[in-house]
Amino acid sequence: MNRCRHFVVPFILLLLAAGSAHAEVRVAGIFADHMVLQCEKPVSVWGWANEGDEVSVTFADQKVTTSTVKDGAWSVTLKPMQSSMESRPLRIASGDQTIVIHDVMVGEIWHASGQSNMAMTVRSMSQHLDVVKTDIAAAELPMLRFCRINEAESPEPRSDLRKQAAWTVCSPETVSGFSGVAFYFAKRLQSELGIPIGIIDSSRGGTPIEPFIPRAAFGTHPTLKQELELGDRGDLEGIWKLPGGVRARDANWLPGRLFHARIAPLRRFAVRGAIWYQGESNCGVQEDPRHYQYKMRALVQGWRHALQNDALPVYFVQLPGSGAGEGWPYLREQQRLANDMPNTGMVVTVDIDGEGIHPPNKIDVGHRLALWALAKDFGKSVAFSGPMFDRQVIEGTNVILRFRHADHGLMVADKHGLSVPHETPEEELGHFELTDGVNGWQPATAKIQGNRVVVSNPDVLSPIAVRYAYSVTPENCNLYSRDGLPASPFCSRPDLLSYDPKLPE
């Protein structure tokens, strides 16, 4: 197979008869040279032409013909295809006009979205991690294709992108501009599956979750309903002061605005699933993380409805351990509480080294996201989640904790840099606290017993709850599964947690 950088051919519109009276046939903006089509699913191809025109779409051994409807719109569906590394053209023809999209492969497509930790590029990572420079030099990976969607916000859902998308083949010359999380996620999938991987990156730095949630999903919770009403009135201050609201700085923060511009135009484009990394702008200084779990549920349900896939896999990243703002531990707990949705999974990153809210190690983040996909969507026998709190049993002054995803047992371990966690049985578990509901949270001793943890404090005689790693920057979180994945921060009684940010006068 020729290397894909040799296929740098512009998106071409061939007019076979000059002076034609017909309007140009158009295809939706997501279809462009070097793209990947989703395997094993029906694939929609759509666009616009003159009303009543006949349009045919040809790809591989399929040819489908249709006629435009009243507004000139047309749409065809290709039958499910097996993945293929073969570079083939996609042709759309109407009358004497033909659009040729070159170098099209068939593989797995994933949406990647969120804010700055998803948007952080491979180039930015390389400024802190030498191994990333090595990965850049070795990134001649023609089966990885990335499409960056960078449309401005929109008050209404758009039917198409305002300008044609560009799909970029991964190479040492191009990889630096890719999302670091998405690159290492895609790279791991490709190495395990051996098929083309396409990433559609719609992330935008500095934005809360609200602009990515479809408007229809804002009816799922009272806070979301009020945010939508205030947003429609342009009342940014009202949204900020709303309990559980958000500090909306401009229109990019308003409900649905980025979904309208970056996801709605692609709603018919077949994909396998989505990865999501966001939360910072819902829990910073004077920002309110309350009700974030309901916002996360609205995002997942809203995307599934809009993309017409009720089982769409969505794997998301819990905020890292290097926090900034008193709301960070509360939002991590909100993310954990949203982790019970079907076909979702949460990646824990509280153990990853790095200062500030943008730890440069996105290698582990991408790989941990890929573990969820490999296990749940591709049938691979791999550990995919660290210990997740399941339930507590109170026995006298002890609280016994049980965890999901701990079948092989628990361990005390340390992780340094990019290395895998190594067991440190001589060290004590850290960051455990107990409360009796009267005297606040007290530091506690925690001991591993098989796949359980026993927590106690001799001064807390009647404990009612435990929490773990509940601080802005919990250093050396050292509870792991024996599969080498970290435990999520948690509170065994989330109803005992309270948060009330100081809002402006």
Side-chain angles (χ1 to χ4, degrees):
M1 181 181 69
N2 290 331
R3 292 184 180 272
C4 292
R5 63 180 181 181
H6 295 163
F7 285 88
V8 182
V9 180
F11 183 83
I12 303 172
L13 178 63
L14 298 176
L15 296 179
L16 300 181
S20 171
H22 292 283
E24 292 183 353
V25 63
R26 275 200 304 128
V27 66
I30 190 60
F31 295 91
D33 293 350
H34 315 304
M35 70 182 303
V36 180
L37 298 176
Q38 177 61 47
C39 67
E40 300 174 352
K41 289 178 176 287
V43 173
S44 293
V45 183
W46 70 97
W48 297 266
N50 274 343
E51 181 180 342
D53 282 357
E54 186 175 271
V55 178
S56 64
V57 176
T58 304
F59 182 73
D61 60 351
Q62 298 190 52
K63 182 176 181 179
V64 186
T65 300
T66 189
S67 296
T68 61
V69 295
K70 185 175 181 180
D71 62 356
W74 58 265
S75 177
V76 304
T77 301
L78 300 176
K79 294 178 181 179
M81 298 171 281
Q82 294 300 308
S83 61
S84 174
M85 296 178 287
E86 182 181 353
S87 170
R88 292 174 286 191
L90 172 67
R91 289 186 171 88
I92 300 99
S94 179
D96 55 7
Q97 304 172 62
T98 302
I99 297 171
V100 182
I101 300 171
H102 296 270
D103 184 28
V104 179
M105 291 185 173
V106 181
E108 295 290 344
I109 304 287
W110 289 79
H111 280 291
S113 199
Q115 62 174 115
S116 52
N117 268 309
M118 181 64 82
M120 186 180 187
T121 63
V122 174
R123 179 183 297 107
S124 295
M125 293 174 59
S126 70
Q127 296 170 3
H128 304 275
L129 300 172
D130 288 340
V131 68
V132 178
K133 298 175 183 177
T134 302
D135 290 342
I136 291 173
E140 194 66 53
L141 301 168
M143 284 191 287
L144 298 188
R145 312 295 181 85
F146 286 75
C147 180
R148 174 71 172 139
I149 305 298
N150 203 29
E151 298 273 320
E153 58 85 22
S154 174
E156 299 295 335
R158 292 190 182 131
S159 60
D160 196 15
L161 301 172
R162 294 188 302 174
K163 63 179 182 180
Q164 205 75 26
W167 287 80
T168 304
V169 179
C170 184
S171 72
E173 293 73 34
T174 63
V175 68
S176 292
F178 298 163
S179 157
V181 170
F183 169 67
Y184 282 99
F185 168 79
K187 184 170 179 281
R188 179 68 179 269
L189 288 187
Q190 202 285 315
S191 67
E192 295 277 351
L193 303 175
I195 63 176
I197 305 292
I199 297 290
I200 302 172
D201 176 9
S202 60
S203 59
R204 186 187 188 279
T207 50
I209 193 172
E210 282 83 349
F212 287 100
I213 301 174
R215 284 181 62 90
F218 277 81
T220 57
H221 188 268
T223 297
L224 287 163
K225 291 180 182 179
Q226 293 178 74
E227 285 188 323
L228 185 62
E229 293 170 359
L230 293 166
D232 286 347
R233 298 202 297 265
D235 188 354
L236 304 188
E237 186 175 357
I239 298 175
W240 186 9
K241 290 185 176 181
L242 181 70
V246 68
R247 188 175 184 180
R249 292 170 172 81
D250 61 37
N252 285 294
W253 276 257
L254 291 176
R257 294 296 184 92
L258 292 176
F259 177 86
H260 292 163
R262 302 188 179 195
I263 306 299
L266 316 180
R267 63 189 181 278
R268 286 186 280 176
F269 192 70
V271 301
R272 177 66 64 186
I275 56 175
W276 174 261
Y277 193 166
Q278 192 277 331
E280 303 91 332
S281 289
N282 285 91
C283 65
V285 177
Q286 294 186 336
E287 293 171 336
D288 193 341
R290 290 175 292 184
H291 306 152
Y292 185 88
Q293 66 161 308
Y294 303 107
K295 298 176 183 182
M296 191 70 211
R297 295 178 193 278
L299 178 98
V300 172
Q301 294 165 4
W303 280 38
R304 286 175 173 171
H305 179 75
L307 299 179
Q308 300 179 358
N309 183 353
D310 291 338
L312 180 79
V314 180
Y315 305 125
F316 61 94
V317 183
Q318 192 181 49
L319 288 183
S322 50
E326 294 302 315
W328 277 57
Y330 192 94
L331 192 128
R332 291 192 198 104
E333 178 68 0
Q334 288 285 298
Q335 291 174 311
R336 184 187 72 86
L337 293 173
N339 191 36
D340 63 352
M341 294 179 286
N343 298 317
T344 64
M346 185 179 75
V347 165
V348 177
T349 63
V350 74
D351 65 325
I352 291 178
D353 291 341
E355 296 181 357
I357 65 173
H358 302 120
N361 176 8
K362 298 297 187 282
I363 299 174
D364 282 317
V365 180
H367 286 176
R368 290 175 181 179
L369 283 165
L371 291 176
W372 275 97
L374 290 168
K376 295 299 185 178
D377 303 294
F378 303 111
K380 300 293 184 179
S381 181
V382 294
F384 54 89
S385 175
M388 293 286 171
F389 169 74
D390 184 30
R391 64 188 185 275
Q392 68 175 19
V393 176
I394 299 173
E395 296 184 354
T397 59
N398 293 332
V399 180
I400 300 170
L401 306 173
R402 291 190 177 274
F403 298 84
R404 291 176 287 114
H405 308 301
D407 294 344
H408 297 154
L410 302 169
M411 68 177 180
V412 183
D414 284 338
K415 175 176 170 56
H416 298 287
L418 298 171
S419 64
V420 298
H422 65 280
E423 187 173 6
T424 55
E426 71 283 356
E427 293 186 5
E428 295 185 355
L429 286 172
H431 300 290
F432 278 87
E433 297 173 287
L434 277 175
T435 185
D436 58 9
V438 177
N439 297 304
W441 294 93
Q442 306 297 323
T445 299
K447 301 289 186 182
I448 292 174
Q449 293 183 358
N451 58 3
R452 308 183 305 169
V453 173
V454 180
V455 185
S456 63
N457 179 328
D459 296 325
V460 182
L461 300 179
S462 301
I464 62 171
V466 176
R467 67 184 187 184
Y468 168 66
Y470 194 84
S471 66
V472 176
T473 306
E475 297 180 359
N476 190 29
C477 296
N478 58 358
L479 177 60
Y480 285 79
S481 69
R482 289 203 165 273
D483 297 308
L485 293 170
S488 170
F490 70 90
C491 180
S492 65
R493 288 275 306 274
D495 58 298
L496 299 178
L497 299 176
S498 62
Y499 187 79
D500 190 6
K502 295 180 181 179
L503 297 177
E505 297 293 331

